[in-house]
Amino acid sequence: MNSSQPESTCYETFLEVIPVLYGLLFIPALVLNCLAGWVSFQIRTESTFILYLKNLIVVDFIMTLTILTKAISKSKFGQTHLVVFACRFSDILFYFSMYISIIFLGVISLDRYFKIVRPFGKLLGQNLTYGKFLTAFIWISFFCTTALPNMILTNKKWNGTANCISLKDRPGIIWHEVVIYICQTVFAVVCVLIVFTYVFISRKVYESYKRSQSCNERYKRQTKARVFIVIVVFFICFVPYHLVRVPFTKIQVDKNTTCIDYAWSFSKELSLWLSATNTCLDPLIYILLCKSFRNRVCEIFRRKTFNISNDNDDSTQ
């Protein structure tokens, strides 16, 4: 036990940094997602692509709200009732939002793939009615199989420990493990889907370059950014966390306290925060991939600049 004391102290020190990181993330995430939500309300849903983007905006906004609760509950100022609320509801919604984001990134990738395969046709996946049914199915099915059971089974009284798993009885712990493996499977399927679609898309873009023999470097950079933005955001935000998730779950359930266990805990907390940065990176997807969204944002900033210019002219006169 004495040999693990330095690692335990180091881990507790590290835990004091985590709330600060979440606090620093919350403000820019809230500003960006409020702006994205406001712009999205002014865009008509005329395609499945815009429909999926709007759903991604809603998911990011939910995750942004849970970031604040996560920051406060993990800090020294977190009261008992707030910690319990985070374990039973807020943290579960955080994970739920994260995996819904992963699913919609995969759906967006597939939608872009369909547009390249049949640019002037209409496959089932490009039908707006089908898209609405698919989004409703994703939300309802994933909530009922992952989030809702975890909320119900987190039913024990708070014993003062910093581990949410202590609020679960034996069925809750078992279902917690099951949900982790379900989420890992979802991640693996989406990861394979994204890699496949973007390998195909990048090949098509390369062939287009060869045919056009364009020398416009700026256009090439913009095209590359639009092609690879989804896969870059996906790998930066979600891959590190899923490399450490399953080993950490075993440690969490077994309640070990060795040096290696603390190292896995370090990795899990830091990679989870990295997953939360998805709320700030997703707006890049909206701007680069959605022309209607990009034009609307440019229009807003042009209007603001024009108004500031007019105010300055009036004050000078």
Side-chain angles (χ1 to χ4, degrees):
M1 181 63 67
N2 292 334
S3 62
S4 66
Q5 189 65 33
E7 288 81 7
S8 176
T9 304
C10 185
Y11 180 60
E12 290 173 0
T13 303
F14 177 78
L15 288 181
E16 294 177 2
V17 178
I18 291 297
V20 177
L21 292 177
Y22 280 112
L24 293 174
L25 182 64
F26 173 71
I27 298 300
L30 183 65
V31 171
L32 288 171
N33 285 286
C34 285
L35 177 62
W38 182 56
V39 172
S40 69
F41 278 123
Q42 303 177 53
I43 300 173
R44 295 181 61 185
T45 307
E46 297 176 336
S47 67
T48 52
F49 180 68
I50 294 177
L51 173 67
Y52 301 145
L53 280 184
K54 286 187 174 183
N55 276 268
L56 191 58
I57 291 171
V58 173
V59 174
D60 286 341
F61 186 74
I62 295 173
M63 180 181 274
T64 299
L65 296 180
T66 64
I67 287 174
L68 179 60
T69 307
K70 191 174 268 295
I72 299 174
S73 64
K74 286 182 175 292
S75 69
K76 294 179 179 179
F77 307 104
Q79 300 297 318
T80 300
H81 62 275
L82 183 61
V83 176
V84 173
F85 175 80
C87 288
R88 287 181 176 164
F89 302 104
S90 180
D91 285 356
I92 293 173
L93 285 177
F94 176 89
Y95 286 105
F96 169 75
S97 302
M98 184 172 74
Y99 284 98
I100 291 290
S101 292
I102 289 172
I103 292 171
F104 276 114
L105 286 176
V107 172
I108 287 170
S109 302
L110 193 61
D111 185 79
R112 298 189 73 203
Y113 171 78
F114 285 153
K115 283 181 170 60
I116 290 179
V117 173
R118 295 282 294 274
F120 303 107
K122 284 291 181 182
L123 297 172
L124 180 61
Q126 295 172 278
N127 182 277
L128 190 57
T129 302
Y130 169 81
K132 291 178 180 179
F133 172 80
L134 177 63
T135 54
F137 174 78
I138 290 171
W139 281 95
I140 296 171
S141 62
F142 204 74
F143 182 81
C144 291
T145 55
T146 59
L148 185 60
N150 264 330
M151 290 177 182
I152 295 172
L153 294 173
T154 308
N155 54 6
K156 292 178 67 176
K157 290 185 177 181
W158 181 250
N159 59 5
T161 65
N163 195 346
C164 289
I165 203 74
S166 63
L167 292 176
K168 300 177 185 291
D169 52 16
R170 188 58 188 168
I173 293 174
I174 293 173
W175 187 250
H176 177 78
E177 285 193 87
V178 170
V179 168
I180 292 299
Y181 289 114
I182 290 174
C183 292
Q184 285 284 345
T185 302
V186 168
F187 169 78
V189 171
V190 173
C191 187
V192 171
L193 177 65
I194 287 179
V195 170
F196 168 77
T197 54
Y198 280 95
V199 166
F200 182 86
I201 290 171
S202 60
R203 283 179 56 191
K204 286 293 184 180
V205 170
Y206 178 71
E207 291 171 2
S208 176
Y209 279 153
K210 288 181 65 176
R211 286 195 302 268
S212 64
Q213 295 181 345
S214 174
C215 297
N216 190 331
E217 292 298 327
R218 181 182 176 185
Y219 174 74
K220 287 182 180 180
R221 287 195 300 269
Q222 289 176 347
T223 304
K224 287 179 181 178
R226 290 169 187 169
V227 167
F228 295 111
I229 184 62
V230 172
I231 197 168
V232 168
V233 170
F234 182 84
F235 273 84
I236 287 176
C237 295
F238 301 122
V239 170
Y241 171 75
H242 288 86
L243 293 177
V244 300
R245 175 70 259 191
V246 172
F248 175 79
T249 301
K250 286 294 183 183
I251 294 166
Q252 191 180 32
V253 172
D254 295 340
K255 300 179 181 179
N256 295 328
T257 55
T258 65
C259 297
I260 296 176
D261 299 331
Y262 284 122
W264 281 116
S265 298
F266 280 140
S267 304
K268 181 260 180 183
E269 291 292 343
L270 192 57
S271 60
L272 185 62
W273 175 82
L274 196 61
S275 296
T277 62
N278 170 62
T279 55
C280 291
L281 294 180
D282 277 351
L284 293 176
I285 295 177
Y286 315 147
I287 291 173
L288 288 174
L289 298 188
C290 183
K291 186 176 180 181
S292 301
F293 191 94
R294 184 168 61 252
N295 290 342
R296 186 61 184 158
V297 170
C298 292
E299 180 184 333
I300 291 169
F301 279 102
R302 278 199 300 266
R303 188 185 305 166
K304 292 291 184 183
T305 304
F306 179 75
N307 290 338
I308 292 172
S309 177
N310 282 347
D311 291 343
N312 290 336
D313 290 343
D314 293 341
S315 63
T316 303
Q317 291 174 4

